[in-house]
Amino acid sequence: MSSSSRFWLLKTEPNCFCWDEQLKAGIEPWDGVRNFQARKNMYAMEVGDLCFFYHTGKERSVVGIVEVASATYPDPTDSEGKWPCIDVKTVKSFKNPVALKWMKMDSVLENADFLRQGRLSVAELTKEEFDRICLLGETQI
DNA sequence: GCCAACGTTGGC
DNA sequence: GCCAACGTTGGC
């Protein structure tokens, strides 16, 4: 891991693409992003950066960890070729999925940017926030 | 370049 | 299912 590593949180609606599918695939494109801030974050990603895999909808929990496995390339689901995607590789499942409500109650996380900007599908976390969520999830890298 | 109208996300 | 918050679009 390089010293410039950053940490990210990737949101997905599990009806659309869920952790089980990520586990089966091992490596999958993270495509379909259509938001400028999320795109900016994708361009800032580097291979090897760690990302949480978060389920929105009914679950609202961090369920696992993936790592960035490619540079950005054109999103195959974008017919106009304007949006990028990246590949993500499965790292591990959370022993204990970390629910949004616990993160909101946690003193380390309650004011985190990724919780305040609710609509951002690719958000950046600090190392402290990343480590804290791993602790709450009883999961070590 | 402003801003009203509209669309979408995602928690509740 | 509702709606707040936020993003995008388009008329001016």
Side-chain angles (χ1 to χ4, degrees), chain A residues 80-130:
Chain A
E80 296 190 26
K82 290 180 180 173
W83 294 93
C85 71
I86 51 151
D87 291 340
V88 295
K89 187 170 73 177
T90 304
V91 175
K92 60 168 58 176
S93 298
F94 262 39
K95 186 176 173 191
N96 260 350
V98 180
L100 177 65
K101 62 181 176 183
W102 299 117
M103 295 194 282
K104 286 194 157 184
M105 279 192 274
D106 187 85
S107 60
V108 177
L109 300 170
E110 59 184 354
N111 291 319
D113 288 343
F114 77 95
L115 292 180
R116 305 182 117 189
Q117 290 180 278
R119 300 189 52 198
L120 189 54
S121 60
V122 180
E124 183 165 13
L125 291 79
T126 66
K127 184 172 193 317
E128 283 169 344
E129 290 159 1
F130 187 88

Side-chain angles (χ1 to χ4, degrees), chain A residues 40-91:
Chain A
K40 188 181 157 198
N41 286 338
M42 286 183 108
Y43 282 135
M45 287 175 163
E46 293 184 2
V47 172
D49 283 357
L50 296 171
C51 315
F52 287 134
F53 194 108
Y54 176 80
H55 280 167
T56 60
K58 287 185 179 176
E59 293 189 43
R60 297 193 297 278
S61 300
V62 177
V63 293
I65 301 170
V66 295
E67 73 176 50
V68 177
S70 77
T72 56
Y73 60 92
D75 182 342
T77 71
D78 171 24
S79 57
E80 296 190 26
K82 290 180 180 173
W83 294 93
C85 71
I86 51 151
D87 291 340
V88 295
K89 187 170 73 177
T90 304
V91 175

